[in-house]
Every structure is written in structure tokens, then in C-alpha cells.
Amino acid sequence: MVVETPRNQRRTEARKMISGLQSSERKNTGMMHIKENWRHSKILEMFGEESMDRVLRWMDKAKIPENAAILDIGTGNGVLLVELTKHGYTNLTGIDYSAASVELARGVLQAEDLTDVTVKEVDFLSCSGELKGFDVCIDKGTFDAISLNPDNTNEVKARYVQALKDALKEEGFFAITSCNWTKEQLLHRFSEGFEFVQELPTPRFQFGGKTGNSVTALIFKRLH
């Protein structure tokens, strides 16, 4: 007979939770139907371990303090929060519009004995100044997801930019990974209130004699 330790029991419960959430039906209202379409898109495959490692390497090189206030926009299953904790960061917040995702992330964090990480059910586009004072904001696909909204696309993007301005401290950093938008398009979108810092190396491809990037990863700094 195999006796599970408390930690293994929590991991087993987390796996059951993941399985249950994946098979459950969710309401398609507001931002939810956008992200549900996004969740089932092959584009989501771009945002995995490599994407997280890319941002973590930048944070190490930029010497982001371990006590920096860090916001994971669209935390999903919370795996980025787990990796940030493993790298020594202690002031972490993850948000997601979906109650199911928040429940999942909390279960994953609990399975890893990470009880000091904050996870909130928040719609980033409608948070009305609820999120403030962050040193670093990280987006690994949420901006892409909301950009798929066929209605009021420009308005939605503008609301995202304003919410980001509200959330970041002056001279705070914004790390974004996108497979929908080019460097030039992102530079244009975040031209007001942000300063471009650097582009992170991403995989390149060749097609028809032209070279491009399958993913764009940029770092911005919040200005006054």
C-alpha cells in the first residue's frame, strides 16, 4: 500500500482539479468568450516554458529585486508564479478574469506549498484602478487574447494600455510576449506613456526568402 505524503496529496488534488476544470463547461460572457476562443487556439502553444525562461533570464540580467512587486496578467494555471517563486521573488500577484482559472492557479500553488502568492479574480480591462504600485507587469498572451475581440478592438486595446499605466509604478517594467503582433505594431500601441527598453531574442524562421520571428518579446518602461 502506497501512503501519500501531505504534499503528494495536494499535488494529486491539484491534478484532479485540472482535469475537472478542463472538462467542465464555462459561461461565454464578456471577456470570457474571447479567452475561451484563445484557450482553444493553437497560438496558445507558443506561450510555454521557453517564453517563461526568456522573461526570467531578462529579469536576472536586469537585476530585478527579489522583493519587487510583480503582476502576472492573465495567470491561467499559475505556473509562471511558481517559476518566479523558484527564482526567489517574494511579492507576487496573479490575476485572471476566470474564476475557474483562479481556482486552478490556487490549487497548483497549494500543491507546491506556495502560500504567500496572491491570486485574484480580476478583469484587467475593468479593474478601475484596483491594481497599483507594481514594479513589473508580465503578459504572456493576454493582450493577444483581447485583441481577438471582433468588436471595438481599438477601444479594448486602449483600455488595456490605460489599465497597464494604472498598475505600473513610474519607471516600472512591462514584459510582453506576443505571437499576433510584430515589434513595430507593439511599439506603436505602447508609444504613449512607455519607453521601449529592449527586444528579447526569440525563434526565427525563413519563408519565401524572408526572415521573421514567430514570437515577439519586448520590454517597456513606464514613463511619467
Side-chain angles (χ1 to χ4, degrees), residues 12-188:
T12 299
E13 291 169 359
R15 284 194 292 269
K16 290 179 180 178
M17 185 184 302
I18 292 169
S19 177
L21 289 172
Q22 287 175 337
S23 62
S24 64
E25 293 183 357
R26 298 171 190 161
K27 296 179 181 178
N28 291 321
T29 57
M31 263 193 74
M32 187 167 290
H33 82 278
I34 303 170
K35 194 163 182 179
E36 286 301 315
N37 290 336
W38 167 256
R39 190 182 303 278
H40 292 96
S41 171
K42 291 182 180 179
I43 296 174
L44 188 59
E45 296 172 6
M46 296 290 186
F47 302 100
E49 185 176 352
E50 184 178 359
S51 174
M52 291 189 294
D53 289 345
R54 187 182 301 119
V55 173
L56 289 167
R57 286 194 297 268
W58 165 75
M59 293 175 71
D60 288 341
K61 291 181 179 179
K63 300 186 185 310
I64 302 298
E66 291 184 349
N67 64 348
I70 299 172
L71 176 65
D72 181 15
I73 303 171
T75 194
N77 61 11
V79 66
L80 177 58
L81 297 173
V82 173
E83 293 302 313
L84 286 165
T85 302
K86 290 180 179 179
H87 277 69
Y89 295 103
T90 58
N91 189 0
L92 305 175
T93 300
I95 61 166
D96 204 290
Y97 78 99
S98 166
S101 293
V102 169
E103 181 184 0
L104 172 58
R106 287 173 177 166
V108 170
L109 290 164
Q110 183 181 11
E112 295 291 334
D113 288 331
L114 303 177
T115 58
D116 295 331
V117 179
T118 300
V119 181
K120 299 179 179 180
E121 182 184 345
V122 175
D123 184 342
F124 190 61
L125 298 182
S126 305
C127 57
S128 302
E130 177 183 345
L131 302 168
K132 290 183 178 180
F134 287 95
D135 299 292
V136 180
C137 289
I138 302 173
D139 183 319
K140 56 188 186 304
T142 298
F143 183 71
D144 278 12
I146 68 169
S147 299
L148 297 179
N149 185 359
D151 302 319
N152 300 319
T153 302
N154 288 329
E155 177 188 347
V156 169
K157 292 175 186 174
R159 286 168 58 193
Y160 179 99
V161 173
Q162 185 57 56
L164 182 63
K165 290 179 181 178
D166 293 341
L168 273 175
K169 292 179 180 177
E170 291 183 3
E171 299 191 354
F173 292 102
F174 172 50
I176 181 170
T177 301
S178 171
C179 62
N180 275 5
W181 305 105
T182 65
K183 174 183 177 181
E184 290 71 25
Q185 289 171 321
L186 292 174
L187 288 175
H188 174 72

